[in-house]
Amino acid sequence: MSETASPARYSWGGDEFIFVELSEEMSLRANFRAMAITRALKEERPDGILEICPANASYQVRYDPDVIEPHTLLAHLQDLEKKVGDASDVSLSTRVVEIPVLYRDPWTTETLMRFRDRHQDPDATDIDYAARINGLPDADAFIAAHTGSPWFTSMVGFVAGLPFMFQMVPQDRQLVVPKYLRPRTDTPKQTVGHGGCFGCIYSVRGAGGYQMFGITPAPIYDPTQSSPDFADFMVFFRPGDIASFRAIDRDEYDDTLVQVERRDYRIRSREVEFNLQPFLDDPAGFNSRLLEVLRVD
């Protein structure tokens, strides 16, 4: 059922930025509203708009005040907010992508063991801890829950190319796992992680605080743009992409790395249209139909 969208809060950032907070709650609906408004703004692209950056439940616009009068821009954004409403009627052209994951891999396992003093449960692995606090019997059940539904890319950033993902299930079924008590100083590149209600893939090696469940052999960030998936841009994920995690074994992981090194590997993807309200009305049925497109050759 459609809901009435709460009014947005608009804030100025110096004389070049306007920040728009659509909701204080992180939800798929709030993110979809941000996506719908910013996509409409990109299509219209009034003179003076320099950058448009959507986030989980907000967005920010950078503009040139010598070209577009700030309050004219504010009025335009408020008009877009009214037109989008709760976004229940908006259709989003996007992709569904399949991400292979080697869960409980040796690299993230070695890393998490080095940082047990920073973890809520020093005697358990990250995935065992995540299974327990989500009421699941074991790590295999957690992996089944993690791969059993798609994930909506709510934003890309913080670190170059890193996607934040929101699990496409009813809120009472979402996997929720707190971040480490203190951040790690090391996380392997392409780690599949989770913090709060958000999943992510670490695009580069570095510090981090999300729980680590596995690693993907699929590159998602390539500043050299030397692989087929990066011909147009060095970042693979786009806001609005829908990811499906698929568990693989070590042999497939190694085989995929060979393809990556040959520069002929491509992430499996299909173009789709996503409508929020049909998903909210029947999440399980919608997800089943959505993921079916990946099985079509």
Side-chain angles (χ1 to χ4, degrees):
M1 181 177 295
S2 178
E3 299 175 3
T4 301
S6 57
R9 181 166 62 189
Y10 295 80
S11 305
W12 301 106
D15 56 3
E16 291 187 350
F17 296 90
I18 185 167
F19 176 72
V20 186
E21 185 179 14
L22 295 170
S23 174
E24 293 184 356
E25 180 185 25
M26 299 292 186
S27 68
L28 185 58
R29 184 183 291 279
N31 180 250
F32 198 69
R33 288 182 68 207
M35 206 78 63
I37 292 170
T38 54
R39 289 214 174 186
L41 185 62
K42 287 176 183 177
E43 290 172 0
E44 298 177 0
R45 201 80 188 198
D47 290 342
I49 300 295
L50 302 179
E51 294 178 89
I52 305 167
C53 182
N56 290 322
S58 61
Y59 68 94
Q60 182 166 275
V61 177
R62 183 186 176 205
Y63 62 95
D64 183 344
D66 293 328
V67 177
I68 185 169
E69 199 278 325
H71 287 87
T72 299
L73 173 59
L74 173 62
H76 186 72
L77 297 181
Q78 290 172 329
D79 185 53
L80 284 178
E81 179 194 351
K82 291 176 184 176
K83 289 180 180 178
V84 167
D86 66 0
S88 59
D89 296 329
V90 175
S91 178
L92 178 68
S93 296
T94 187
R95 304 178 294 180
V96 57
V97 302
E98 184 177 77
I99 302 298
V101 182
L102 178 61
Y103 289 91
R104 294 177 287 191
D105 66 281
W107 305 283
T108 60
T109 299
E110 185 277 331
T111 303
L112 68 86
M113 294 308 295
R114 281 193 281 125
F115 292 96
R116 295 329 282 165
D117 63 322
R118 305 177 185 217
H119 196 272
Q120 292 87 346
D121 188 349
D123 297 324
T125 65
D126 289 8
I127 201 166
D128 288 331
Y129 169 70
R132 177 168 57 80
I133 67 168
N134 280 278
L136 298 168
D138 53 33
D140 289 336
F142 183 87
I143 293 170
H146 197 260
T147 58
S149 60
W151 297 71
F152 191 85
T153 303
S154 57
M155 61 175 285
V156 179
F158 185 71
V159 174
L162 185 152
F164 287 85
M165 301 174 177
F166 195 84
Q167 191 179 20
M168 295 172 60
V169 295
Q171 190 170 14
D172 60 356
R173 287 185 48 215
Q174 282 183 337
L175 298 172
V176 178
V177 191
K179 295 187 289 185
Y180 275 42
L181 297 175
R182 291 184 293 128
R184 300 177 302 275
T185 56
D186 189 24
T187 307
K189 180 177 70 172
Q190 292 159 211
T191 289
V192 175
H194 198 102
C197 65
F198 286 102
C200 81
I201 304 174
Y202 284 78
S203 52
V204 297
R205 182 177 182 178
Y210 278 23
Q211 308 285 335
M212 297 181 291
F213 302 148
I215 200 165
T216 177
I220 62 168
Y221 174 61
D222 180 9
T224 69
Q225 295 185 249
S226 55
S227 299
D229 279 330
F230 303 92
D232 297 326
F233 193 46
M234 66 181 67
V235 171
F236 177 77
F237 274 95
R238 312 164 192 162
D241 278 346
I242 297 170
S244 173
F245 294 114
R246 179 174 63 87
I248 62 174
D249 60 21
R250 180 62 187 270
D251 287 342
E252 183 173 349
Y253 178 89
D254 291 339
D255 290 343
T256 302
L257 277 188
V258 171
Q259 297 177 55
V260 171
E261 290 166 1
R262 289 200 310 251
R263 307 293 187 188
D264 60 11
Y265 175 77
R266 300 205 70 160
I267 293 175
R268 186 176 177 84
S269 68
R270 293 289 186 272
E271 301 292 325
V272 296
E273 289 291 319
F274 178 70
N275 298 84
L276 181 62
Q277 198 59 49
F279 164 75
L280 295 175
D281 291 340
D282 179 20
F286 186 93
N287 287 345
S288 178
R289 294 188 296 273
L290 182 68
L291 296 181
E292 189 64 33
V293 303
L294 285 173
R295 303 184 183 96
V296 177
D297 293 328

